[in-house]
Amino acid sequence: MAKPQWVTTQPSSGSNNGTVNVSGGKHTGRTQRSGNITFKASGAADVERPVNQAGRAEFVTVNNVSAPKSGGNVTITGKSNSSKLNFELGAGDITVTLPENYSAGGASTKNNVAIAGDPGAGAEFEFSITLAIPKNTTVTAKSRKITVTATGGQTATSTISQAAGDPTLSVTPESISLDAEGTAVAVTVTSNTNWTVE
């Protein structure tokens, strides 16, 4: 049986008595992986030994993203080895709706449903979720937190930051006409920031 690709032996050959260091590549999956290595010597029976490598503890990581003030789609990406991920809206003032599906290892997956084929059992996988962010019509920067929870309860939080919108000011009517007595006329000011009349 061939030596697993993730196993390294140093040295891989020798003479008479010796020591071989057996190591493995980094294992990012949740479950133990196993294989066999075979020691051979001319004229002697082969000796096969199992090699087991522990799995990595369940984890989830996620990145922060910036949204333009004009709005549009933003994609949050991360890595995990969980069998299921749950996305939830956290604190913030960006009005956004979580999509029903996200991408896990390249496959469309429903939020908070077991990932088909459980890719995290054997190795970490990349995931992404795309959200539609509305235009920021205020002169204040906005944000929204998105929390991702793995099956084992591990969490990671992404912060979506959105730049402040452009200041706006409009006044109606176009021309203000006062009567001879100087009676007040209502003028409508529409703005998203502080304003003064001079």
Side-chain angles (χ1 to χ4, degrees):
M1 178 177 263
K3 176 180 76 170
Q5 192 172 7
W6 50 269
V7 172
T8 301
T9 55
Q10 186 62 36
S12 57
S13 63
S15 180
N16 298 318
N17 296 335
T19 300
V20 175
N21 291 313
V22 179
S23 58
K26 183 177 178 180
H27 182 33
T28 59
R30 295 186 324 277
T31 60
Q32 173 181 289
R33 61 182 173 182
S34 301
N36 293 304
I37 58 174
T38 305
F39 295 82
K40 298 182 178 207
S42 180
D46 292 351
V47 177
E48 191 172 87
R49 292 291 182 257
V51 179
N52 300 308
Q53 186 174 16
R56 180 178 177 185
E58 190 172 4
F59 77 97
V60 61
T61 62
V62 70
N63 69 323
N64 295 322
V65 295
S66 294
K69 62 185 176 184
S70 59
N73 288 341
V74 297
T75 301
I76 297 170
T77 60
K79 291 184 179 181
S80 183
N81 63 358
S82 183
S83 61
K84 178 173 69 172
L85 296 175
N86 184 35
F87 294 83
E88 294 180 305
L89 293 177
D93 50 7
I94 296 175
T95 302
V96 65
T97 302
L98 282 174
E100 190 174 304
N101 293 333
Y102 68 98
S103 175
S108 181
T109 304
K110 284 193 179 296
N111 188 23
N112 205 25
V113 171
I115 301 166
D118 191 9
E124 68 183 16
F125 59 89
E126 293 186 355
F127 64 84
S128 63
I129 188 167
T130 301
L131 301 104
I133 306 298
K135 178 178 180 178
N136 187 352
T137 58
T138 71
V139 291
T140 305
K142 292 185 172 188
S143 68
R144 173 66 73 176
K145 295 192 179 299
I146 307 293
T147 300
V148 186
T149 305
T151 304
Q154 301 81 359
T155 63
T157 300
S158 174
T159 300
I160 302 170
S161 302
Q162 186 176 32
D166 295 322
T168 60
L169 176 66
S170 66
V171 180
T172 306
E174 291 289 322
S175 176
I176 303 164
S177 299
L178 300 177
D179 63 21
E181 298 296 318
T183 307
V185 173
V187 175
T188 302
V189 177
T190 304
S191 180
N192 64 357
T193 189
N194 297 330
W195 51 272
T196 60
V197 179
E198 299 178 2

